[in-house]
């Protein structure tokens, strides 16, 4: 199988689609439905705009991207797998050390399909959640980045649909259709996971979504990249290269917002970050509101890891279908039989850790890895704030704060980790999470920008593809 991508077919690919007539037909018959979905549910009002997008032309890590102006419906979505690793073996569980599967192992068919569908469902969901953001983009640079993320999430859907169509026959074809039928936030046919039915109403949310939720995506893809089912592993490995950009968009976006706020505060001589009105009058976003948005998106994202104790997670690991994050770099027996893992819990109103069988604690473990990773990002944000001499520190809220899933779903915890009565929690909510007043302030603030950069965000240090920050990344059509 070659590394170069075949661009002759309508569906660019490096999976030998030209030689597989049956699969090609199946994908070609799914393609119009996909385009229809993209036009209905993709970026609203920008389907004819020319966007300076990156398209993968090779999966070679040294140069897989080519930039050009593209109308999004004409983007070359394709099926791209990372190069095969020779003699790859199942990295974990009871089959560890056996050759990785190139076809679906019959006994795990249903479980594997479920894993692929759940991952696949998140990809179009985020496009749906972000579809109105183009209109309030703070610059053409940001608009272009939003659309780049969107087309890549679309490609991730293609990646999962390829696996379903190629390896799961009729069931796979049906699941592929369902992926286009469910819709983020729909009452009757919602997306599978809660966070993907929430709104991404504005750019502050978008940046926190890409900071937190795409980071979860990276952890999940990292775990699936360790799958003993080799086509899934190779698919996810290539997706990870794209996911890195999504996280960059989130982190750099928040960094630039913090920068704009702190610089404006400094220039106006405002020392108190809680002097919200004065800060907002400068046309920037106050730090406490940024913290509330972080609280919201962080807690929503933590729910994506599922219940702390999970037999499904144990089954997938044991079967070798899903590893831990960076499984091959962990030094243990990769079977975990008899091992234990400390899981945080609440006993008699106090937090404490309890050792539980490591196999059942895999969700908790992946979540812990995620939290550590987020903490590093928050530290970087705090350096920006400190460098501007503003006395304020961003914080990740406590893991038990505002949860809907798992053992903390039924308790009322403050961002600082205090257990309080439900009523007090409700009364303090406006200090913890974004309010209606916050939303209307943001709506007023985030208006379509005719040119340059909005007041509430600093320009980027450098542009995309060595272009300047104010390059015409999107050519709008009247
Ligand atoms: Fe994705
Ligand atoms: Fe993503």
């Amino acid at each position: 199988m070659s590394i170069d991508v075949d661009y002759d077919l309508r569906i660019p690919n490096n999976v030998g689609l030209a030689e597989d007539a049956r699969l090609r037909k199946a994908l070609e018959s799914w393609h119009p439905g996909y385009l229809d979905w993209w036009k209905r549910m993709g970026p609203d009002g920008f389907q004819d705009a020319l966007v300076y997008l990156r398209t993968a032309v090779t999966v070679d890590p040294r140069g897989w991207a080519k930039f050009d102006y593209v109308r999004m419906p004409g983007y070359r979505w394709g099926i791209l797998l990372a190069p095969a690793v020779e003699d790859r073996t199942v990295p974990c569980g009871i089959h560890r050390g056996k050759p990785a599967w190139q076809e679906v192992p019959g006994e795990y068919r249903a479980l594997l399909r479920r894993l692929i569908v759940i991952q696949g469902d998140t990809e179009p969901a985020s496009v749906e959640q972000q579809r109105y953001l183009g209109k309030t983009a703070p610059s053409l640079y940001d608009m272009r980045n939003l659309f780049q993320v969107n087309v890549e999430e679309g490609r991730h859907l293609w990646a999962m649909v390829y696996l379903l169509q190629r390896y799961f026959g009729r069931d796979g074809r049906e699941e592929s259709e369902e992926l286009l039928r469910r819709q983020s936030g729909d009452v009757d046919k919602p997306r599978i996971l809660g966070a993907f039915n929430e709104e991404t109403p504005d750019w502050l949310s978008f940046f926190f979504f890409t900071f937190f939720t795409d980071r979860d995506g990276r952890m999940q893809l990292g775990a699936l990249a360790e799958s003993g089912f080799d086509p899934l592993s190779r698919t996810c490995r290539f997706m990870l290269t794209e996911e890195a950009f999504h996280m960059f968009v989130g982190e750099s976006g928040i960094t630039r917002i913090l920068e704009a706020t702190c610089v404006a505060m400094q220039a106006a001589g405002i020392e108190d970050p809680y002097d919200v009105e004065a800060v907002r009058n400068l046309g920037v976003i106050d730090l406490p509101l940024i913290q509330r948005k972080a609280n919201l998106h962080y807690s929503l994202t933590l729910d994506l890891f599922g219940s702390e104790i999970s037999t499904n997670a144990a089954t997938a690991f044991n079967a070798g279908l899903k590893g831990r994050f960076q499984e091959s770099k962990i030094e243990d027996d990769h079977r975990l039989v008899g091992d234990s893992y400390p899981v945080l819990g609440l006993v008699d109103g106090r937090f404490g850790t309890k050792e539980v069988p490591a196999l059942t604690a895999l969700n908790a473990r992946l979540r812990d890895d995620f939290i550590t990773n987020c903490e590093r990002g928050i530290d970087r944000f705090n350096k920006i704030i400190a460098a501007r001499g503003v006395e304020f520190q961003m914080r990740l809220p406590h893991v038990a704060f505002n949860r809907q899933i798992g053992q903390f779903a039924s308790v009322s915890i403050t961002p600082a980790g205090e257990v309080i009565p439900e009523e007090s929690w409700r009364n303090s909510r406006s200090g913890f999470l974004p309010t209606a007043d916050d939303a209307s302030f943001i709506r007023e603030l985030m208006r379509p920008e005719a040119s340059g950069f909005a007041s509430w965000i600093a320009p980027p240090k450098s542009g995309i593809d060595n272009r300047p920050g104010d390059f015409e990344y999107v050519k709008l059509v009247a």
Side-chain angles (χ1 to χ4, degrees), residues 65-254:
K66 171 178 145 278
F67 288 84
D68 207 351
Y69 284 105
V70 180
R71 284 191 178 83
M72 286 184 277
Y75 183 78
R76 303 300 305 274
W77 284 286
I79 298 160
L80 308 168
L81 269 54
V85 173
E86 229 178 294
D87 301 325
R88 186 166 175 267
T89 54
V90 179
C92 60
I94 52 177
H95 305 291
R96 176 173 155 78
K98 293 183 191 152
W101 299 291
Q102 299 304 326
E103 295 293 332
V104 176
E107 56 190 310
Y108 301 134
R109 189 183 163 86
L111 183 56
L112 192 54
R113 190 182 72 204
R114 189 74 190 147
L115 286 174
I116 294 169
V117 166
I118 289 175
Q119 179 61 42
D121 193 66
T122 66
E123 314 290 357
S126 64
V127 176
E128 294 165 355
Q129 288 169 298
Q130 296 160 14
R131 64 186 295 244
Y132 297 114
L133 292 177
K135 293 175 177 159
T136 52
S139 69
L140 293 178
Y141 165 83
D142 290 288
M143 188 189 284
R144 178 254 164 227
N145 286 348
L146 165 72
F147 295 157
Q148 182 73 55
V149 170
N150 291 160
V151 293
E152 286 176 355
E153 300 302 7
R155 207 202 64 73
H156 293 175
L157 172 60
W158 272 92
M160 293 298 124
V161 163
Y162 158 72
L163 293 174
L164 290 169
Q165 304 250 12
R166 163 70 179 79
Y167 295 98
F168 293 88
R170 191 202 172 110
D171 296 354
R173 286 195 293 281
E174 276 166 17
E175 294 283 15
S176 304
E177 294 302 328
E178 285 298 302
L179 284 166
L180 296 176
R181 265 186 224 128
R182 282 186 292 270
Q183 215 174 85
S184 177
D186 193 273
V187 201
D188 301 321
K189 267 191 157 297
R191 292 293 174 186
I192 297 170
L193 301 171
F196 289 90
N197 289 302
E198 297 288 332
E199 282 185 24
T200 309
D202 58 64
W203 280 78
L204 187 51
S205 274
F206 171 64
F207 290 133
F208 275 122
F209 185 97
T210 38
F211 182 80
F212 287 124
T213 312
D214 282 86
R215 189 177 304 268
D216 159 70
R218 174 171 159 269
M219 309 293 298
Q220 302 292 346
L221 289 176
L224 292 173
E226 303 287 348
S227 179
F229 178 54
D230 205 41
L232 177 59
S233 166
R234 293 178 55 198
T235 304
C236 291
R237 261 162 43 219
F238 185 69
M239 288 162 76
L240 281 168
T241 60
E242 293 165 318
E243 212 56 64
F245 173 71
H246 306 180
M247 286 168 49
F248 158 80
V249 168
E251 175 145 349
S252 61
I254 294 162

Side-chain angles (χ1 to χ4, degrees), residues 1-7 9 11-21 23-24 27 59 78-83 155 158-159 161-163 166-167 230-232 234-235 238:
M1 207 172 280
S2 79
I3 282 183
D4 288 332
V5 179
D6 179 352
Y7 266 86
L9 293 184
I11 304 166
N13 72 94
N14 68 347
V15 296
L17 211 51
E19 293 89 55
D20 189 339
L23 177 62
R24 198 172 69 231
L27 286 167
V59 292
I79 298 160
L80 308 168
L81 269 54
R155 207 202 64 73
W158 272 92
V161 163
Y162 158 72
L163 293 174
R166 163 70 179 79
Y167 295 98
D230 205 41
L232 177 59
R234 293 178 55 198
T235 304
F238 185 69

